[in-house]
Amino acid sequence: MTALAVAAGRAVEASRPDKLIDDPYAAALVENAHSLQDWPLVWPPNPLDAPPLHHPILLASTYIGMRTRFIDDFLQPAEQTPQTVILGAGLDTRAYRLPWADDARVLELDLATVLEFKAEVLAGLSAELGCELVSVPADLSCSWAEQLQAAGFDRSQPTTWVIEGLLPYLDADAQLLTLKEVAALSAPRSRAVIERAVALPRTEDFGAKLREFSIQSGLPMSELLARADPPDPARVLGVAGWRCTEHPVQELCSRYDRRISLTPDAETPEMPDAETPDAGPPAAQRGGLVRAWL
């Protein structure tokens, strides 16, 4: 469901006249899932007139568009390493839609069902790969290093790591494990781009929203609260000798001249105020991105 929501967000962004990204496959991936969820796939002429159930994805699509463009720019061929690892790849189509060096190798990790569905749909669309693609089924809430190396990952080669839309959905321990495995597997001249998760606010109001979301989603409060104090990727990698730069959401808004709002002239950004499966983490959890170099 989360992978479909993000694909819908990319489809919406790619439909805009001022689009930041070009993803010719996102809408088809959503449509071929035959989900009962009514996903918007285009940016409407007047977003405020869209059905209220579409508003969360329309809002999220602006953030998803900026996040996607930022990472796409990081992956330009001139800066590529021999291998790129995308953790929590979901329905991402960068292996197909981005320019890659002739010898580029991309390893995608996610649940087998997600990777298999994506491969089937893209094969049906006759989508052409721009690189060698290796799909690695893995549960990213646990250690995944063994599966990655068994799939042919070469830890002696520099690696580009992409961690997008993953950490906010892992508990704090799993986030730390992921970051430590990235550090342990990285050769000199490796680099990473990471979407961070930030601490949940410890207020009664937010606690009430979490309880409501727990009831609606079936996720126990203990699981939600396990995300409350996540590790800082810049600090974890910094201790391991990486050089890091931090890029908050407001920087992305300035860089790409976007507002996360259904009204383009709004003074302040609007965001969903509670975590929902179709909108992703709330504004308080959108921690921006970190770039890192070893």
Side-chain angles (χ1 to χ4, degrees), residues 198-264:
V198 299
L200 301 180
R202 295 181 180 276
T203 65
E204 180 56 35
D205 179 60
F206 195 79
K209 291 175 181 178
L210 280 182
R211 287 190 291 274
E212 180 182 354
F213 178 63
S214 176
I215 293 171
Q216 292 174 348
S217 66
L219 292 173
M221 278 291 290
S222 59
E223 181 177 332
L224 296 176
L225 292 174
R227 311 179 194 178
D229 190 21
D232 179 357
R235 179 171 297 179
V236 174
L237 293 183
V239 169
W242 296 62
R243 175 173 58 88
C244 301
T245 61
E246 303 179 49
H247 306 274
V249 174
Q250 286 304 321
E251 178 189 317
L252 301 187
C253 291
S254 297
R255 180 189 293 247
Y256 300 118
D257 193 24
R258 284 289 172 87
R259 295 181 184 273
I260 303 177
S261 170
L262 297 183
T263 54

Side-chain angles (χ1 to χ4, degrees), residues 65-146:
M66 294 189 297
R67 179 183 78 183
T68 302
R69 173 61 179 274
F70 186 88
I71 296 173
D72 285 357
D73 289 346
F74 190 74
L75 296 175
Q76 288 303 302
E79 305 296 331
Q80 287 172 9
T81 54
Q83 54 192 1
T84 296
V85 176
I86 304 178
L87 298 177
L91 299 180
D92 175 84
T93 59
R94 289 188 174 97
Y96 297 83
R97 62 179 183 80
L98 290 187
W100 294 93
D102 291 341
D103 58 349
R105 191 165 192 256
V106 175
L107 299 99
E108 294 188 340
L109 282 73
D110 212 315
L111 297 175
T113 52
V114 175
L115 297 176
E116 290 167 1
F117 168 75
K118 177 168 64 174
E120 180 181 348
V121 172
L122 293 175
L125 297 173
S126 299
E128 295 186 4
L129 283 165
C131 59
E132 178 188 357
L133 175 63
V134 180
S135 296
V136 185
D139 178 356
L140 293 165
S141 66
C142 309
S143 175
W144 40 263
E146 185 175 335

Side-chain angles (χ1 to χ4, degrees), residues 27 180 185 187 211:
K180 285 186 173 181
L185 292 170
R211 287 190 291 274

